[in-house]
Amino acid sequence: MVDATLTRRKDFLSILDFDPPELDHCLQLAAQLKADRSLGRQAPTADALNGRHVGMLFDKPSLRTRTTFEIAIRELGGHPVALQPDVALGHREPVADVARNLERWVNAVIIRTFSQYLLQEFAAAAPQLHVVNALTDQEHPCQALADCLTLQERIGPLRGRTIAYVGDGNNVATSLVHAAAMLGVHVHVASPEPYQLPHAVVQQATAVARHGARLRLFTDAADAVAGVDAVYTDTWTSMGQEAEADLRRRVFAAYQVNDELMALAKPGALFMHCLPAHRGEEVTAEVFESEVSVVFEQAENRLHGQKALLLMLLAPSVGL
Ligand code: CP
Ligand code: NVA
């Protein structure tokens, strides 16, 4: 049974919507769901979302997030409803009106859009509707669930470990830093000016840090990766920033994760990337394809992390 001390959450717009016990619980539940997956329709959670509808609205492209959420909903016995981008969130009618319509038909909505603030406005307008952030310009919390699950599987208890994030202080970096702080993981972030983590994110991570977890910002990638357990990077040009791609290639050139950089980390240190990756830019093909690369494990774990999340939001009495 679920831990009775956990409160039921309406939304998951940010890792910060969880308290540390909820994050721990989500990761444990994800590991259990992963182990149970081979049971198929015999899995104890196969009908947990029976009769529930979950809308999916993507204003930006997606492979992993869209596919894993659709499979997650189906494997829990729910019904995914693919909303088309011509909903034109925030343009065709007020955001709050879209939310209040959807609240009458579906139990939850998974949304990938540009603005975190728009997502907050959407969630606030519909008190009965569960809203999940499938990536905004500011945060990518579902990615961080999969990243932490992957780290736990590969290196065991995470408390006191150190990971480095090299590159743009973006949505993926933000959610990773939030989760790591709550799990007691030290994080080194190496980014060029002015692409460092927003100051507010540094403050948030400090506020939620457990077990002495420290966040340190660097401008030099070599300094940041020295002795770490895992090196993480992401694209230099996120969706919506395509006009800046040439500039960003120049600014981030010294932040490529290559064999030379990986050699400075702890022997056997993992390489991580949320994908899609750009070989020859943020990572070399050699590192991407190397034995320490866990990128497809991260991709697989998107499914298990999101199944756990959906259970916690929609069926909290089902689970561990
Ligand atoms: N990592 C990730 O979110 O992938 P997609 O953009 O393909 O969903
Ligand atoms: N930072 C990237 C992540 C893609 C999954 C982007 O926002 O495009």
Side-chain angles (χ1 to χ4, degrees), residues 165-170 173 190-191 195 234-238 241 248 252:
Y165 176 94
V166 177
D168 192 14
N170 63 13
S191 316
Y195 298 98
D234 182 17
T235 183
W236 293 336
T237 302
S238 286
Q241 299 171 336
R248 285 170 169 269
F252 285 101

Side-chain angles (χ1 to χ4, degrees), residues 17-36:
D17 285 341
F18 273 169
D19 60 25
E22 285 170 319
L23 180 56
D24 288 340
H25 179 76
C26 188
L27 295 175
Q28 275 180 40
L29 185 54
Q32 182 65 50
L33 290 162
K34 185 171 184 173
D36 286 349

Side-chain angles (χ1 to χ4, degrees), residues 60-61 64-65 112 135-137 140 143 165 168 170-173 234-235 237-242 274-276 302:
K60 296 181 181 182
R64 282 148 290 270
T65 311
R112 170 168 287 195
L135 179 145
T136 61
D137 291 349
H140 195 2
Q143 181 67 50
Y165 176 94
D168 192 14
N170 63 13
N171 44 9
V172 169
D234 182 17
T235 183
T237 302
S238 286
M239 293 179 275
Q241 299 171 336
E242 289 77 7
C274 58
L275 307 180
R302 297 294 308 274

Side-chain angles (χ1 to χ4, degrees), residues 75-94:
E75 287 190 0
L76 296 172
H79 305 280
V81 179
L83 302 164
Q84 300 306 309
D86 61 6
V87 169
L89 201 54
H91 299 288
R92 188 163 174 259
E93 58 192 306

Side-chain angles (χ1 to χ4, degrees), residues 225 227-231 262 265-271 290-293:
V225 304
V228 301
D229 295 286
V231 178
M262 289 299 293
K266 190 180 277 184
L270 304 176
F271 170 71
S290 70
E291 280 186 354
V292 298
S293 174

